[in-house]
Amino acid sequence: MKITGYTDRMSVQPGEKIKFMVNSHYNKYKTEIVRLIHGDSNPEGPGVKIHKVEADVNKEYSGRKQDIHMGSYIKFNNQSLFSLISSFSLQAMIYPTTPELGIQGILTKWSPVNNTGYGLFIDEKGCLAVWIGDDKGNVEKLSTDIPLVTGCWYFVGGSFDEESGKLSICQEVVLNGTNSRFSLPYGTDELNVSHERKVNIKPYADNNAEFLIASILGKQPDGKHKVINRYNGKIDRPRVASVALSKEEMKSWIDHPSGKGLVAAWDFSEGITRKGFRELEKIYDQSPNQLHGETVNHPTRAVTGYNWTSEEQNFVHAPEQYGAIHFHDDDLTDAKWDVDFEWKVPDNLQSGVYAAHVYAGEDEDYITFFVRPKKGKKPTAKAVLIMPTASYLAYANNRFQDVPLAQLMFGRAPVVQQEDMYLGEHAEYGLSTYDHHNDGTGVCFSSALRPILNMRPKYRHNLSPSLWQFNADLHLVDWLTEKGFEFDVVTDQDVHFEGAELLNQYKVAITGSHPEYYSGPMLDAVEGFQDNGGRFMYMGSNGFYWVVTFDPKNPNLMEVRKNYGNQGWKSKPGEIHLSITGEQGSIWKHRGRAPQKICGTGYAAQGFEVSSYYRRTEESFNPEVDWIFEGIEKGEKIGDFGLVGGGAAGLELDIYDTELGTPPHAVIVASSEGHTNVYMPVAEELYFNIPGLSGEQNPRVRADMVFYHTPNGGAVFSTSSISYCGSLSHNNYDNNVSKLTENVLKRFLADQPLPGAEKKQVLTK
């Protein structure tokens, strides 16, 4: 893994430029633009298929190492007033989550190079401390000497008076019934501390160190700066004064900052609108100095503050109770690497899945991107494949091998790849939305502005018996290519921003194997496409499940909040709403938009073990749907083979359910059977945990293959299994899964009405 990279965008169109950022431990490396067709190296399949593309960037480049600096914090462009301070007061409400990890900056203007400046810190013993350092490197530190308690709100303050030389520190626990781990102040008297001491030095504020919130700015051997001593936890209502205030004055400034010496009074709730944060990165100062700032690496916003009462769960309805930001020492949303080369996509380049293959010595990387059709130009294909990039981002660089229950969940020991081992040692590559931060809270942001090592050809995911997400979707790309179907490629992110207008240019829209993460605009686009007569092929399972959104100012950034469903973490109380839009997060089913309304089936069971097969139902022999099975023998098992678990029905399974919105006229044409006891119902399907729920005993552990008509000549076909596409290439593409899929796609592409379309569909009980 000595060469890795990423692009400045996931989707690009002909005529646009795309930038490539590369980290190389080699002095020289080579680049080739390639088209990706099949990324599965399994010898039982057709093998890896990668085609070189002629491009002017195909050449040798000088390599260089590029570092990634994790951690979220707040920086300020205007530093002048912070440098003029001699006396000061620093105060805030804080909610530390890892005080035991040692030194962490809270409000700092500190140079660790020459030990100058001033700041409010958590010290090496986990205690609150105030530091000052003079221009000669002399340092005075005053600590409370009482370790902070994780998960409790504190008022904290530190001050220095130049005239008297008095240095002071204070903290008080602030609890109500809902805002902290504890409801009542058990033993908190010992945690409420005030100390002061006279010192003989003065802080050297004009020390070229930046004033930061939630970290310290250090210097690397190469002279460049990076943040160190990063803080984990929440900060609410930070204040800075150029005079030494008493403890009572500092406390009063938390809610009413005013008076002599006011330098800055930040209100993290400012910018909240009825539709979420106006600008997610912006921080506003209420003082006359207007020392506004911006966050780096997207700490979590829309989180409860010190005064949250739980009467309101949505931050947009009570912004004054959401004046906190949760910082993490391992936040990462932009690696901020320098550009190594850029490529203008030729006007005649075919839409598809592409990569920049960068390689040197025995190391290589495929920096993946997607070429969509040019806007404003009529597509030449009738079908469009929607690549589920939101799901790629959700699983980006996940570390499932580190989950304690992984072996029990998978029914086997996880198979760890080189990329997994590398990520285990390199946290700086960022986390997936299935991981936890170092302080135990869930990861709600994922960004494409970093190398994503599991979105590459040849990668074999440890969650699946073979493939998951990107390379599983290349199974479908390969089949479409081998069968000679003309198709365009767009990303679900494109659909998010352009809506049904983008999809309505096509007759058929096809999903990938696992379009799990979907935004409201994406759902609206799919429904609009179906209502307009579009024909929709849902080629996977567990689709349209988690609520996500993209930042309109930074489309590379995706947000999710989790609760209720199958998840790696749960949002804290009062924090389930998306900061970007203000809408409720978690799963669409709990927002009245169950997947059954979109594709006729919805997520019901999972088992990351062997896959099974389908059998036709009696209803499938009706002439209106019998054409789906043309060329397939009546008693055949459908898909008792495949590259993903050995069958077409596996990993995650969807079922028909009219109570959740499956149209009454929808037909189950086949259902899977024979699933093992590793397959279990998903959490949101359960009311009670009781024996008999696993695959060998529970009839709801199955995948339902469904077909139904939609308005204006449209239709929906759903496979309802993630492993389905892994069976398409079996026996050189000559198999019943391939035949069935070809029957559907050819009929969907044809101009004539589908059988049974002339019947008026009437809702029935």
Side-chain angles (χ1 to χ4, degrees):
M1 306 301 298
K2 293 181 179 179
I3 183 167
T4 56
Y6 65 97
T7 63
D8 68 331
R9 61 182 70 186
M10 297 184 79
S11 176
V12 64
Q13 61 180 311
E16 288 184 333
K17 290 182 178 180
I18 183 169
K19 297 177 181 179
F20 297 86
M21 284 61 74
V22 180
N23 166 48
S24 174
H25 289 236
Y26 296 90
N27 292 328
K28 300 286 184 181
Y29 69 89
K30 293 182 178 180
T31 295
E32 287 183 349
I33 301 297
V34 294
R35 186 173 186 189
L36 305 179
I37 304 297
H38 196 260
D40 190 349
S41 58
N42 190 335
E44 296 181 5
V48 175
K49 299 179 184 178
I50 298 174
H51 300 160
K52 182 179 177 181
V53 175
E54 293 299 324
D56 56 7
V57 295
N58 292 353
K59 55 187 178 182
E60 188 174 70
Y61 294 87
S62 295
R64 56 177 167 178
K65 293 182 181 180
Q66 303 211 62
D67 295 324
I68 303 176
H69 300 144
M70 297 186 299
S72 55
Y73 59 98
I74 298 174
K75 66 179 183 179
F76 303 91
N77 291 327
N78 186 352
Q79 292 282 330
S80 58
L81 291 180
F82 302 120
S83 298
L84 298 175
I85 285 176
S86 49
S87 296
F88 66 81
S89 294
L90 306 172
Q91 62 262 18
M93 304 300 300
I94 69 168
Y95 177 98
T97 51
T98 60
E100 70 281 0
L101 292 185
I103 297 173
Q104 299 168 47
I106 301 173
L107 304 173
T108 71
K109 193 178 191 304
W110 186 260
S111 170
V113 176
N114 49 30
N115 289 328
T116 60
Y118 58 89
L120 194 61
F121 300 84
I122 295 174
D123 67 18
E124 63 276 1
K125 296 180 181 180
C127 308
L128 183 72
V130 60
W131 298 0
I132 60 173
D134 66 14
D135 58 354
K136 297 180 177 61
N138 299 307
V139 176
E140 289 283 355
K141 299 179 180 181
L142 182 61
S143 171
T144 63
D145 293 321
I146 300 293
L148 294 161
V149 176
T150 299
C152 290
W153 277 105
Y154 289 84
F155 159 74
V156 296
S159 68
F160 172 75
D161 183 67
E162 181 184 27
E163 184 175 342
S164 66
K166 185 174 71 175
L167 186 65
S168 66
I169 187 76
C170 61
Q171 69 181 40
E172 287 188 9
V173 178
V174 178
L175 300 182
N176 64 35
T178 58
N179 73 349
S180 294
R181 283 172 60 196
F182 310 107
S183 177
L184 299 176
Y186 302 105
T188 56
D189 289 345
E190 297 179 358
L191 302 178
N192 299 335
V193 183
S194 295
H195 292 323
E196 63 180 51
R197 183 174 77 233
K198 186 174 181 179
V199 297
N200 295 318
I201 66 171
K202 299 177 181 180
Y204 178 55
D206 192 17
N207 59 354
N208 293 322
E210 290 187 26
F211 184 92
L212 299 178
I213 296 178
S215 68
I216 304 170
L217 197 62
K219 185 172 285 187
Q220 301 180 100
D222 61 5
K224 294 183 179 179
H225 289 85
K226 71 172 184 178
V227 289
I228 59 174
N229 301 121
R230 303 179 296 273
Y231 170 75
N232 279 319
K234 297 179 182 180
I235 298 177
D236 191 350
R237 293 166 168 78
R239 314 298 192 214
V240 177
S242 60
V243 295
L245 301 173
S246 67
K247 182 177 75 172
E248 289 69 26
E249 288 173 321
M250 285 193 283
K251 288 174 66 176
S252 71
W253 272 32
I254 291 298
D255 288 318
H256 304 288
S258 62
K260 181 182 177 181
L262 178 61
V263 175
W266 294 286
D267 180 1
F268 294 160
S269 70
E270 187 173 340
I272 294 176
T273 73
R274 302 295 286 185
K275 294 290 185 179
F277 277 87
R278 183 167 56 246
E279 292 183 276
L280 202 57
E281 296 87 359
K282 298 297 183 183
I283 301 299
Y284 298 97
D285 174 22
Q286 291 182 317
S287 81
N289 297 318
Q290 298 289 282
L291 297 177
H292 307 314
E294 61 181 68
T295 63
V296 177
N297 278 329
H298 289 91
T300 307
R301 308 194 71 172
V303 294
T304 55
Y306 84 97
N307 57 346
W308 183 64
T309 65
S310 85
E311 295 169 318
E312 182 53 64
Q313 299 291 310
N314 189 342
F315 70 100
V316 306
H317 297 153
E320 70 282 355
Q321 295 184 33
Y322 286 83
I325 295 179
H326 195 141
F327 300 89
H328 304 94
D329 61 3
D330 54 1
D331 277 326
L332 177 74
T333 54
D334 192 344
K336 295 186 182 298
W337 286 354
D338 294 328
V339 177
D340 283 81
F341 60 93
E342 64 180 15
W343 183 45
K344 183 177 181 180
V345 179
D347 287 333
N348 61 350
L349 188 70
Q350 184 178 355
S351 176
V353 184
Y354 290 85
H357 180 207
V358 292
Y359 57 96
E362 297 181 353
D363 289 275
E364 65 176 358
D365 194 11
Y366 288 87
I367 308 173
T368 303
F369 60 98
F370 306 91
V371 176
R372 54 161 295 170
K374 193 166 186 176
K375 293 180 184 178
K377 187 176 180 181
K378 185 176 181 180
T380 57
K382 291 184 177 181
V384 62
L385 175 60
I386 308 169
M387 301 300 290
T389 55
S391 295
Y392 301 160
L393 285 177
Y395 289 89
N397 294 342
N398 67 259
R399 294 160 171 82
F400 286 143
Q401 68 274 9
D402 297 333
V403 177
L405 296 178
Q407 185 165 336
L408 181 63
M409 185 177 179
F410 301 169
R412 56 182 169 77
V415 179
V416 181
Q417 307 296 311
Q418 177 188 12
E419 293 88 346
D420 304 323
M421 297 290 288
Y422 187 80
L423 289 170
E425 297 177 355
H426 291 270
E428 72 272 13
Y429 275 67
L431 302 170
S432 79
T433 64
Y434 286 82
D435 294 316
H436 292 81
H437 291 291
N438 285 333
D439 68 356
T441 54
V443 179
C444 67
F445 287 116
S446 184
S447 170
L449 296 178
R450 53 169 170 154
I452 300 177
L453 302 185
N454 56 3
M455 195 179 77
R456 304 289 191 255
K458 306 178 187 179
Y459 177 76
R460 303 181 69 77
H461 205 288
N462 53 50
L463 178 61
S464 158
S466 57
L467 297 185
W468 183 262
Q469 291 297 158
F470 178 69
N471 280 313
D473 293 333
L474 289 185
H475 283 152
L476 181 55
V477 171
D478 172 60
W479 180 83
L480 290 166
T481 304
E482 287 292 327
K483 286 294 181 178
F485 288 107
E486 293 184 354
F487 66 100
D488 286 337
V489 165
V490 300
T491 67
D492 50 8
Q493 186 187 86
D494 295 323
V495 176
H496 172 88
F497 287 107
E498 297 178 41
E501 184 178 351
L502 173 59
L503 299 181
N504 286 342
Q505 300 176 87
Y506 299 92
K507 196 172 191 68
V508 181
I510 308 169
T511 76
S513 63
H514 192 200
E516 180 180 8
Y517 290 77
Y518 247 64
S519 69
M522 292 180 200
L523 293 181
D524 294 342
V526 171
E527 289 180 332
F529 170 74
Q530 292 177 358
D531 189 49
N532 194 51
R535 296 170 179 178
F536 191 69
M537 294 180 68
Y538 172 43
M539 297 297 293
S541 173
N542 188 16
F544 323 108
Y545 186 73
W546 289 111
V547 179
V548 300
T549 194
F550 291 94
D551 187 344
K553 293 184 171 63
N554 177 12
N556 288 297
L557 183 73
M558 186 187 80
E559 181 181 11
V560 63
R561 301 288 174 111
K562 298 196 172 187
N563 217 323
Y564 306 127
N566 275 19
Q567 67 260 304
W569 54 273
K570 293 185 178 182
S571 294
K572 299 294 184 182
E575 298 179 3
I576 197 173
H577 290 78
L578 303 179
S579 61
I580 295 174
T581 60
E583 64 186 306
Q584 180 180 307
S586 201
I587 63 175
W588 281 112
K589 177 182 176 181
H590 286 188
R591 293 226 351 230
R593 303 191 77 171
Q596 282 86 347
K597 294 182 177 183
I598 298 292
C599 56
T601 63
Y603 190 29
Q606 65 176 19
F608 303 103
E609 195 204 21
V610 295
S611 301
S612 191
Y613 57 88
Y614 300 83
R615 283 196 187 275
R616 290 184 65 174
T617 63
E618 288 299 319
E619 291 79 8
S620 73
F621 294 96
N622 186 308
E624 293 182 2
V625 293
D626 186 52
W627 56 269
I628 295 173
F629 300 92
E630 184 179 341
I632 299 173
E633 294 293 330
K634 181 177 179 180
E636 284 187 47
K637 293 179 179 178
I638 298 169
D640 56 340
F641 47 80
L643 297 175
V644 182
L651 299 187
E652 293 180 336
L653 312 172
D654 291 3
I655 63 171
Y656 171 112
D657 193 329
T658 55
E659 289 187 6
L660 291 176
T662 302
H665 63 282
V667 179
I668 302 175
V669 296
S671 288
S672 67
E673 61 185 27
H675 296 287
T676 72
N677 281 334
V678 172
Y679 283 79
M680 298 290 292
V682 293
E684 70 274 11
E685 290 288 305
L686 301 178
Y687 292 94
F688 296 97
N689 261 323
I690 58 174
L693 294 176
S694 56
E696 293 181 7
Q697 301 166 294
N698 186 352
R700 286 180 67 83
V701 176
R702 68 178 196 272
D704 288 335
M705 190 182 296
V706 165
F707 171 85
Y708 58 96
H709 294 281
T710 52
N712 301 307
V716 170
F717 170 76
S718 296
T719 67
S720 303
S721 160
I722 285 181
S723 66
Y724 183 92
C725 293
S727 300
L728 290 168
S729 65
H730 179 73
N731 192 34
N732 198 27
Y733 310 91
D734 184 12
N735 62 76
N736 53 29
V737 171
S738 176
K739 180 61 178 173
L740 185 155
T741 309
E742 189 172 7
N743 290 342
V744 173
L745 183 51
K746 283 184 174 179
R747 283 292 187 110
F748 275 25
L749 288 169
D751 291 331
Q752 62 265 35
L754 295 165
E758 69 282 354
K759 290 186 177 180
K760 184 177 181 180
Q761 308 301 335
V762 179
L763 292 179
T764 59
K765 291 184 180 179

